Amino acid sequence: GAAPLPGLLAAAPGGDVAATLDAPAETEDLLADYARLGFTLGRHPLAFVRDQLAALRFLTAADITAAPDRMLARSAGLVTCRQRPGTAKGTLFITLEDETGLTNVIVRPELFEQQRRILLGARLMGVFGQIRRQGRVVHLVASRVVDHSPLLGSLAARSRDFH
């Protein structure tokens, strides 16, 4: 490769500025990472609201994955993907993410029409439904959804919608 230019960084202005700034709080770092990248290398943002979610009896993605078929359950997570394939006759598929993994949610067309605003707008969504197991694949079939985005404060998790 090319030889480095000597003194380039030494000549750059503000070399000592960073040393005088206070380190941001862990939550600020994570929120900034999530807003910019869509993911964080630190703790998952939902780790900070798990106590509140647990108080509302929301299960983690790991709990959902381990749950028995047809169990009534509720789960909450960041909406990372929404898909409504033309072949699915109006069914919406949502992926929720929390600090333990992913939950696959199925939303039937009737519920989509009833709760469209929450389904399309929530960043942190709570889903009430029933577990459906097909082999190793587990879905939560939604009967009701709630928008818990206010728990996130300023977290700007962007979902990768409608791929």
Side-chain angles (χ1 to χ4, degrees):
L5 297 173
L8 187 62
L9 290 178
D16 291 331
V17 171
T20 63
L21 297 175
D22 288 337
E26 180 186 15
T27 51
E28 290 174 27
D29 274 347
L30 295 181
L31 294 176
D33 286 350
Y34 234 88
R36 192 171 61 252
L37 306 172
F39 64 90
T40 176
L41 299 177
R43 281 199 292 169
H44 192 279
L46 281 206
F48 296 98
V49 295
R50 176 54 56 198
D51 288 348
Q52 291 153 284
L53 293 173
L56 296 168
R57 300 201 316 271
F58 284 104
L59 301 177
T60 65
D63 294 333
I64 294 292
T65 300
D69 187 42
R70 301 195 177 275
M71 182 179 109
L72 294 179
R74 60 181 76 169
S75 188
L78 298 178
V79 178
T80 59
C81 189
R82 293 173 176 94
Q83 295 176 295
R84 205 170 183 214
T87 54
K89 301 185 178 80
T91 299
L92 175 67
F93 299 93
I94 295 176
T95 304
L96 298 181
E97 178 191 13
D98 70 11
E99 71 277 24
T100 70
L102 302 175
T103 299
N104 299 310
V105 177
I106 295 176
V107 179
R108 296 210 170 94
E110 316 82 73
L111 184 63
F112 180 81
E113 295 310 323
Q114 292 165 14
Q115 295 201 272
R116 172 185 221 114
R117 193 176 53 76
I118 292 173
L119 288 163
L120 297 180
R123 291 180 297 144
L124 172 53
M125 187 184 299
V127 177
F128 296 75
Q130 187 175 37
I131 302 290
R132 285 293 157 85
R133 302 187 71 90
Q134 292 157 319
R136 296 179 60 184
V137 179
V138 179
H139 289 95
L140 183 58
V141 180
S143 56
R144 183 166 74 91
V145 295
V146 288
D147 186 351
H148 281 304
S149 302
L151 287 178
L152 297 173
S154 62
L155 177 62
R158 291 164 304 194
S159 66
R160 300 179 289 278
D161 286 344
F162 296 107
H163 290 300

